[in-house]
Amino acid sequence: MQPFLWLHWGVERYFWALLIVMLNLLPELSITEQLIFAALVVCWLIQLVYWLYFLVRPGRPQLPVPDPSPWPPVSIVICARNEEHNLMEYLHLVIDQDYPNFEVVVVNDSSWDDTGTILKAFKLQYDSRLHLVNLDEAKQSMGGKKFALTLGIKAAKHELILLTDADCRPRSRHWIREMVRVKQEGKEIVLGFSPYRKTRGLLNKLIRFDAFMIALQYFGFASRGKAYMGVGRNLMYTKELFFRIGGFRTHYTLASGDDDLFVQEAARGHNVAWSLHPDAFTESPAKPTWGTWFTQKMRHFTTAPRYKRVFRWLLALGPLSYLLMLGLAVSCFIMHTLVLVVVGLLFVRWVVQWTILHRASRQLQQPDLCWPAPVLELLLTFVQLWLYIMNLIVKPQKWN
């Protein structure tokens, strides 16, 4: 029996056993204990549905896809503002990709360091492959990264636009191939995975776990025909689609949203593909301090009020039901209410989580995030709750 079939079978049997226990034991409890335990079971069921319906898919291997014939030309678009060090380290890895027909468009977004000089040196070496767009400070005042990105897409020669950042490095020379490979007939958007580089420390592990869980969500939702975001560090779509929906017109004034809000507006269920192949990953350094990571997360939270209502509810349902489940479980422990049954519920939820994360962490090459997941999940949930509240008070910064 396949692991996920076994998991569904086991959860179903446990649910019926739980129902029998509840019918026999609930009459012996007080009204307060009954209400608390019933609410706990509801939250537990929401958690199981959330994990088994939305988050289970990314752990499953993708079926092999034949090479397109011919390979379509691709324009890679990168916005760079004061990125001299990152361009020196990573740009050649993008330009040296093993792909028959592509160009790299770099938008120098009003940099005041040596970004312009470095790009000119790259242009001398890769003249036919590299296209430069220079944006001065006067034009930049028209609107942040989205303006620079729009100029880069306009300057692109090819229909397929592949986005990444200046501080990202492709995991292999076949990055473009693996992103293009899954773009079958009718697909206009391709979602990719972009993990953060592994270093030591709790902060790095928490940032990587956050990125891993976000990817698990947007791949899982996309597999259910409900794509709601991608990450601009590894995202592909067609030029025609970009201009058909008006680019970033509806959220142009927001500091973020060039990936998640754009995908929500452009996705139509059937027109979204995703690549889980390791060669399709891009990797970037994680924020080195808690403060810089908090600032980044708070900026990303500015897009949340602009999400479609269905996505706001679905994405909030996971962490809220999780926190309520834990709080209600603690209440049951304090009141000595069906303690063994409550422990069983939490154990089943942990088994479901571990089974899914174990498969997904191997698929996305993040194996060290599986075992500490319960601790990281709890910490991340409280951090995000605190940041969301702070974001209502503190105005987020613009990019760079």
Side-chain angles (χ1 to χ4, degrees), residues 85-189:
H85 299 297
N86 289 324
L87 290 171
M88 285 288 291
E89 188 170 356
Y90 304 123
L91 184 57
H92 70 96
L93 299 176
V94 176
I95 299 176
D96 290 335
Q97 284 289 298
D98 180 14
Y99 193 79
N101 187 3
F102 74 100
E103 65 167 350
V104 179
V105 180
V106 181
V107 183
N108 180 12
D109 187 9
S110 312
S111 300
W112 55 81
D113 63 358
D114 287 333
T115 292
T117 303
I118 290 169
L119 288 175
K120 289 178 181 178
F122 272 104
K123 180 66 175 175
L124 292 175
Q125 184 177 359
Y126 301 98
D127 180 54
S128 61
R129 185 73 76 190
L130 182 62
H131 180 52
L132 303 181
V133 177
N134 291 299
L135 183 59
D136 59 35
E137 191 66 34
K139 292 181 179 179
Q140 197 278 337
S141 63
M142 298 176 67
K145 182 181 179 180
K146 291 176 183 176
F147 180 64
L149 192 54
T150 301
L151 291 184
I153 293 173
K154 284 184 176 180
K157 295 187 299 184
H158 305 311
E159 172 64 12
L160 270 184
I161 306 296
L162 179 55
L163 304 179
T164 190
D165 287 345
D167 64 349
C168 285
R169 67 178 183 190
R171 279 279 187 90
S172 80
R173 296 188 67 238
H174 303 295
W175 167 51
I176 306 176
R177 286 182 183 271
E178 294 304 328
M179 289 293 287
V180 172
R181 188 187 304 277
V182 298
K183 189 195 172 299
Q184 303 299 302
E185 186 68 28
K187 305 298 183 183
E188 299 176 293
I189 303 171

Side-chain angles (χ1 to χ4, degrees), residues 16 32 37 44 46 60 76 78 83 122 138 149 191 193 213 244 246 280 283 333 338 382 384:
W16 289 113
T32 301
F37 184 74
W44 177 78
I46 291 173
R60 297 177 176 177
I76 300 172
I78 301 172
E83 299 281 6
F122 272 104
L149 192 54
L191 310 178
F193 180 47
M213 289 302 301
R244 189 203 317 155
E283 185 181 73
F333 292 150
L338 301 179
F382 281 108
Q384 289 181 328

Side-chain angles (χ1 to χ4, degrees), residues 35-51 317-329 345-346 349:
L35 291 175
I36 290 176
F37 184 74
L40 170 63
V41 172
V42 170
C43 292
W44 177 78
L45 288 173
I46 291 173
Q47 280 288 292
L48 294 189
V49 171
Y50 195 77
W51 280 87
L317 199 59
L320 286 179
S321 62
Y322 169 68
L323 283 177
L324 283 173
M325 181 187 70
L326 293 182
L328 292 166
L345 292 175
L346 297 179
R349 195 268 185 185

Side-chain angles (χ1 to χ4, degrees), residues 113-380:
D113 63 358
D114 287 333
T115 292
T117 303
I118 290 169
L119 288 175
K120 289 178 181 178
F122 272 104
K123 180 66 175 175
L124 292 175
Q125 184 177 359
Y126 301 98
D127 180 54
S128 61
R129 185 73 76 190
L130 182 62
H131 180 52
L132 303 181
V133 177
N134 291 299
L135 183 59
D136 59 35
E137 191 66 34
K139 292 181 179 179
Q140 197 278 337
S141 63
M142 298 176 67
K145 182 181 179 180
K146 291 176 183 176
F147 180 64
L149 192 54
T150 301
L151 291 184
I153 293 173
K154 284 184 176 180
K157 295 187 299 184
H158 305 311
E159 172 64 12
L160 270 184
I161 306 296
L162 179 55
L163 304 179
T164 190
D165 287 345
D167 64 349
C168 285
R169 67 178 183 190
R171 279 279 187 90
S172 80
R173 296 188 67 238
H174 303 295
W175 167 51
I176 306 176
R177 286 182 183 271
E178 294 304 328
M179 289 293 287
V180 172
R181 188 187 304 277
V182 298
K183 189 195 172 299
Q184 303 299 302
E185 186 68 28
K187 305 298 183 183
E188 299 176 293
I189 303 171
V190 178
L191 310 178
F193 180 47
S194 185
Y196 288 106
R197 196 163 309 138
K198 181 180 178 180
T199 59
R200 295 180 178 180
L202 174 62
L203 175 61
N204 178 263
K205 194 173 288 288
L206 189 62
I207 291 175
R208 290 172 51 238
F209 182 76
D210 182 35
F212 171 61
M213 289 302 301
I214 289 173
L216 209 61
Q217 286 185 154
Y218 69 71
F219 284 134
F221 274 63
S223 72
R224 297 297 185 180
K226 301 182 183 300
Y228 74 94
M229 72 165 288
V231 290
R233 305 188 302 276
N234 197 5
L235 178 64
M236 175 185 284
Y237 47 76
T238 65
K239 193 173 183 179
E240 189 275 335
L241 173 68
F242 180 81
F243 289 109
R244 189 203 317 155
I245 69 169
F248 309 122
R249 175 178 52 85
T250 60
H251 48 88
Y252 190 73
T253 58
L254 294 181
S256 297
D258 53 281
D259 41 22
D260 52 357
L261 294 181
F262 176 83
V263 169
Q264 279 189 49
E265 192 170 357
R268 296 294 181 268
H270 63 279
N271 70 339
V272 180
W274 55 93
S275 179
L276 301 178
H277 196 286
D279 285 349
F281 299 170
T282 63
E283 185 181 73
S284 59
K287 294 299 182 182
T289 66
W290 291 91
T292 53
W293 181 53
F294 287 168
T295 300
Q296 180 189 53
K297 292 292 292 182
M298 289 174 67
R299 188 178 72 246
H300 292 166
F301 282 160
T302 59
T303 62
R306 305 288 287 272
Y307 274 28
K308 294 179 180 179
R309 184 175 300 176
V310 61
F311 294 126
R312 293 205 304 267
W313 278 103
L314 287 174
L315 292 171
L317 199 59
L320 286 179
S321 62
Y322 169 68
L323 283 177
L324 283 173
M325 181 187 70
L326 293 182
L328 292 166
V330 171
S331 299
C332 287
F333 292 150
I334 293 173
M335 300 171 64
H336 303 287
T337 303
L338 301 179
V339 172
L340 291 179
V341 177
V342 173
V343 170
L345 292 175
L346 297 179
F347 178 75
V348 169
R349 195 268 185 185
W350 176 81
V351 170
V352 170
Q353 180 191 52
W354 183 87
T355 304
I356 294 172
L357 290 185
H358 179 65
R359 291 284 295 270
S361 63
R362 289 191 301 171
Q363 179 81 9
L364 300 179
Q365 297 192 340
Q366 307 290 307
D368 64 309
L369 298 179
C370 183
W371 283 108
V375 175
L376 294 174
E377 180 187 28
L378 183 62
L379 178 58
L380 182 62

